[in-house]
Amino acid sequence: MPPLIQFAGVSRTYGRGEAEVRALDGVDLSIERGEFVAIMGPSGSGKSTAMNIIGCLDRPSAGKYLFQGVEVQDLDQDRRALLRRHCLGFVFQGFNLLARQSALENVELPLIYRGLPKAERVARARLALHKVGLEGREGHDPSQLSGGQQQRVAIARALASDPMVILADEPTGNLDSQRSHEIMQLLQALNRDGITIVMVTHENDIAAYAQRLLVFTDGKLTRDEATPALISRSA
Amino acid sequence: MLWETVSLAFTTIIRNKLRTFLTVLGVVIGVAAVIAMVTIGQGSSAQVSASVAALGTNVLTVRPGTRGFGPPTGGATAPRFSLKDAEALADLSLVGYAAPVVSSGQTVVFGNANAATQVYGTSGDYTRVQNWALRTGRSFEPHEESAGSAVCVLGQTVATKLFGNSDPVGQSIRVKNVACQVLGVLSARGSGSFGQDQDDLVLMPAKAVQRRLEGNANVDSIAVALRKSVSAEDGIAAVQAVLRERRRIGLTQPDNFSVSDSKELSNMLGGINTVLTGLLSSVAAVSLLVGGIGIMNIMLVSVTERTREIGIRLAVGASARQVLLQFLVEAVVLSLLGGAIGIGLGLAIAYGGSVFMAIPFVPSGAVVALAFGFSALIGVVFGYFPARRAARLDPIEALRYQ
Ligand SMILES: Nc1ncnc2c1ncn2[C@@H]1O[C@H](COP(=O)(O)OP(=O)(O)O)[C@@H](O)[C@H]1O
Ligand SMILES: [Mg+2]
């Protein structure tokens, strides 16, 4: 079986001529099903750019991106939307929930675009909220929830459509240490259930939850190694 | 999916009630104006047709002098008609009834009450020409006509002014200095095409008005009712032939009288109506356009404000088409809402206007449906540009917005 995610010489440049910025510069990597990967690196090293390309929100300027062995770098907007809808889930640093919509409605959102009937959407959304430990908070607005709870809603939203991969760009960036570890335990549990997780973080103890660490420097992949088994299991 | 989109649009719209109201105000005013104009226009056309129908079909009015629009020209110098002219016209086979009209402005008095009115000297055929029934009493008998008796029939307005609720029949009123016995009262007709009071008149035998009030033998006009199935053209031609003969007009000379058809009046009024309705409707159309631009403006603001929301929707798998649809539906729902309010308001204005102008209230389902459809069209046309802008947003930039 081909890897779930594979980059072959992926570059992403912004601007032209003198002002050209190489956010990614000839990156090769591959991620298998079921992996839990942490991406680290200094600010501006291309981590988010790589996540956006993996998430089909962006396209490489050069190189190939294969998802389950299929080249997707040249897919049109609609096909990339389909891929996001059915295979990918996002968790953002800033949560990105819809204000003034309840937790349940937020989790239902991806299911609306899959055309599921209301009853099934609600059932699935409740299940996802249950999985992240938010049963009883279905009717709360984001403004009525703590940061940690909001991030759980976001994770439930990513979960609701049964994705193969959850992409989390600094999911604990806005949370205190206690909440951060709770969120990581949740992601770890989801990973044990078989969901592939790719996560960007700045913190070693957060990265330690992953099994594998990728380090970016100046748009290049400079390290690719297993996280020490002891740390990743302990917490 | 479409239903989800519609209910989402409603939720968004209900959350911003004040903004929604201001957004749709333009469409409300535009649609209300169109509906009010058209409904009042139709009411006044119906009024014109009704008053023409009340005149009886194919009533010709014959006057001395030539006449275009405006006052008669040469009316002062052209020879007057006589009672014989009216009789000659009545003898024509195409003519049902012909009644002479001698008009005389007079003040009529009964006891302490008096009324300034128009006295028409005519024959009993006048009410037949006009298809006008009596409410009470009777009209003139031929012997009263030939004798020029001092008898009269009152219009409802005059009857009310002089007698209030009591019965005038058999009473004697004074016209100028003539004591005149009341034979009957005409049924009420209401206001005419120009808003004049049709019931403000007194009928007397033509000879009585000529001798006792005017002191001459002139007839001012002749009202002619053609027989059923006789066309106005044929009737006019026959009347013209007889009068040219009687007035000894040479073959090459023009008529020194005019014959007008009751339909002429209705056509003229209808024409004025059409022009006015068209004019006002184009003003209304402009305000609809402005309303549409208002919706587009607010939708553009809304797209900018909700950039992040659009980014989130794109990230969880919405296609550009679905985002486009969401904003398009929102614009259409907005403008339909404006349209619905506008239709209600327009009908209310039209109703008030109809009551005020004493014309029938004729709401038209077709016009309402058209206004509703037009509102939807405005939503689609003016919502498309903002919706397309939303659909073309780059998801990464949208997510990073503000
Ligand atoms: N839309 C953009 N336009 C221009 N430059 C960009 C854009 N997005 C990212 N960059 C640049 O690309 C580089 C990598 O950015 P990013 O992937 O966001 O870094 P990281 O997430 O590792 O901090 C940075 O130098 C950044 O300034
Ligand atoms: Mg980043």
Side-chain angles (χ1 to χ4, degrees):
Chain A
M1 257 219 273
L4 184 63
I5 290 163
Q6 190 172 16
F7 275 19
V10 165
S11 296
R12 176 68 166 100
T13 52
Y14 291 106
R16 283 174 181 277
E18 300 246 316
E20 190 184 87
V21 178
R22 288 196 158 256
L24 285 181
D25 190 2
V27 174
D28 297 303
L29 65 80
S30 81
I31 296 171
E32 300 294 334
R33 278 173 193 74
E35 280 196 272
F36 188 160
V37 179
I39 299 180
M40 298 185 79
S43 182
S45 57
K47 306 182 295 294
S48 294
T49 305
M51 291 292 271
N52 289 337
I53 290 175
I54 294 174
C56 290
L57 290 169
D58 196 6
R59 292 201 277 197
S61 316
K64 288 180 176 174
Y65 168 29
L66 293 89
F67 189 83
Q68 295 187 288
V70 180
E71 286 187 30
V72 296
Q73 73 274 3
D74 297 325
L75 292 185
D76 63 19
Q77 233 187 5
D78 285 350
R79 298 244 165 73
R80 282 184 285 140
L82 276 176
L83 213 56
R84 291 198 294 272
R85 194 182 300 168
H86 292 279
C87 304
L88 304 164
F90 292 89
V91 177
F92 303 94
Q93 179 176 1
F95 317 139
N96 275 337
L97 299 176
L98 294 182
R100 297 204 282 183
Q101 300 236 23
S102 70
L104 192 73
E105 287 169 328
N106 266 287
V107 178
E108 268 185 61
L109 193 62
L111 304 177
I112 291 179
Y113 294 113
R114 294 177 71 160
L116 297 184
K118 178 82 182 168
E120 189 178 343
R121 288 201 315 256
V122 171
R124 281 210 197 190
R126 281 184 185 282
L127 188 67
L129 282 170
H130 177 79
K131 274 191 196 162
V132 301
L134 280 181
E135 57 274 70
R137 301 285 157 89
E138 288 87 350
H140 287 51
D141 273 12
S143 62
Q144 298 168 303
L145 297 170
S146 72
Q149 288 171 327
Q150 288 187 51
Q151 196 59 299
R152 282 167 190 272
V153 174
I155 292 170
R157 180 177 66 192
L159 270 182
S161 52
D162 276 331
M164 295 184 206
V165 191
I166 287 184
L167 300 167
D169 196 346
E170 302 191 37
T172 61
N174 287 4
L175 301 177
D176 63 33
S177 168
Q178 169 78 27
R179 301 306 141 213
S180 298
H181 284 286
E182 285 170 15
I183 292 293
M184 290 322 296
Q185 281 156 14
L186 178 57
L187 289 179
Q188 207 168 39
L190 296 177
N191 177 243
R192 286 201 195 101
D193 289 346
I195 298 176
T196 307
I197 293 178
V198 183
M199 169 190 75
V200 173
T201 183
H202 282 295
E203 288 156 83
N204 288 321
D205 59 337
I206 296 300
Y209 285 89
Q211 302 143 355
R212 181 180 167 197
L213 177 67
L214 304 179
V215 178
F216 282 78
T217 316
D218 286 339
K220 292 193 165 71
L221 182 58
T222 49
R223 266 167 68 190
D224 181 353
E225 60 199 28
T227 51
L230 237 178
I231 310 172
S232 76
R233 295 292 164 197
S234 67
Chain B
M1 185 63 215
L2 186 66
W3 169 243
E4 304 297 341
T5 315
V6 171
S7 83
L8 176 66
F10 269 109
T11 317
T12 312
I13 285 165
I14 288 165
R15 266 185 201 143
N16 297 297
K17 287 193 192 71
L18 180 64
R19 171 189 282 195
T20 299
F21 172 71
L22 294 175
T23 306
V24 302
L25 198 57
V27 173
V28 169
I29 292 173
V31 169
V34 170
I35 293 281
M37 295 310 147
V38 174
T39 308
I40 290 177
Q42 285 182 332
S44 71
S45 314
Q47 163 80 350
V48 169
S49 336
S51 55
V52 168
L55 267 183
T57 45
N58 291 337
V59 172
L60 306 182
T61 304
V62 187
R63 292 188 185 84
T66 51
R67 195 179 64 96
F69 282 101
T73 51
T77 52
R80 300 281 150 164
F81 294 119
S82 67
L83 294 176
K84 292 264 184 294
D85 291 322
E87 282 163 23
L89 292 181
D91 288 342
L92 281 170
S93 62
L94 301 183
V95 169
Y97 306 102
V101 177
V102 185
S103 63
S104 173
Q106 296 293 348
T107 300
V108 295
V109 182
F110 177 74
N112 293 331
N114 63 75
T117 187
Q118 202 67 26
V119 176
Y120 291 133
T122 184
S123 69
D125 283 342
Y126 184 78
T127 53
R128 288 178 203 108
V129 170
Q130 299 282 355
N131 194 20
W132 200 342
L134 267 71
R135 181 171 67 75
T136 174
R138 63 171 180 86
S139 189
F140 326 125
E141 300 287 349
H143 71 268
E144 291 161 334
E145 286 168 19
S146 54
S149 306
V151 292
C152 60
V153 172
L154 305 183
Q156 183 59 55
T157 302
V158 177
T160 309
K161 277 186 186 165
L162 296 190
F163 295 95
N165 289 330
S166 55
D167 183 14
V169 175
Q171 301 286 351
S172 180
I173 63 169
R174 197 154 51 75
V175 180
K176 204 172 176 182
N177 44 24
V178 181
C180 188
Q181 193 195 354
V182 179
L183 299 178
V185 179
L186 292 164
S187 57
R189 273 218 156 156
S191 49
S193 309
F194 296 107
Q196 80 279 21
D197 181 2
Q198 300 185 98
D199 299 314
D200 188 6
L201 81 175
V202 172
L203 301 182
M204 287 174 72
K207 275 187 181 157
V209 175
Q210 285 175 333
R211 289 182 194 156
R212 298 170 193 258
L213 302 179
E214 293 288 302
N216 59 39
N218 290 341
V219 167
D220 294 312
S221 65
I222 304 170
V224 179
L226 299 175
R227 286 193 195 283
K228 277 208 177 75
S229 80
V230 173
S231 75
E233 290 73 38
D234 293 348
I236 289 171
V239 167
Q240 279 172 332
V242 168
L243 289 177
R244 284 179 74 86
E245 162 87 36
R246 289 183 59 80
R247 290 161 82 87
R248 301 184 206 294
I249 299 171
L251 275 176
T252 56
Q253 284 176 279
D255 290 350
N256 57 9
F257 61 93
S258 72
V259 186
S260 63
D261 175 5
S262 58
K263 289 216 178 80
E264 204 176 284
L265 178 70
S266 79
N267 289 345
M268 191 181 83
L269 288 176
I272 292 173
N273 239 321
T274 311
V275 170
L276 272 183
T277 306
L279 208 69
L280 294 171
S281 298
S282 54
V283 171
V286 169
S287 66
L288 267 182
L289 192 74
V290 173
I293 293 170
I295 286 189
M296 177 156 80
N297 182 29
I298 296 294
M299 289 304 295
L300 280 172
V301 171
S302 173
V303 167
T304 307
E305 279 179 355
R306 288 154 68 188
T307 298
R308 202 181 174 80
E309 175 194 325
I310 295 164
I312 294 170
R313 290 176 184 278
L314 289 170
V316 303
S319 66
R321 244 192 78 250
Q322 287 167 323
V323 172
L324 182 104
L325 196 68
Q326 179 190 337
F327 281 88
L328 206 54
V329 165
E330 205 170 300
V332 171
V333 168
L334 267 177
S335 61
L336 281 181
L337 191 74
I341 298 173
I343 287 167
L345 189 66
L347 288 178
I349 292 171
Y351 181 75
S354 307
V355 169
F356 181 70
M357 292 188 274
I359 59 174
F361 175 58
V362 193
S364 147
V367 171
V368 166
L370 202 71
F372 209 62
F374 202 72
S375 314
L377 190 70
I378 282 182
V380 171
V381 169
F382 290 95
Y384 182 76
F385 176 62
R388 199 187 58 170
R389 173 175 282 197
R392 286 189 176 179
L393 283 177
D394 176 59
I396 300 168
E397 278 174 15
L399 281 168
R400 209 187 281 142
Y401 184 79
Q402 62 138 16

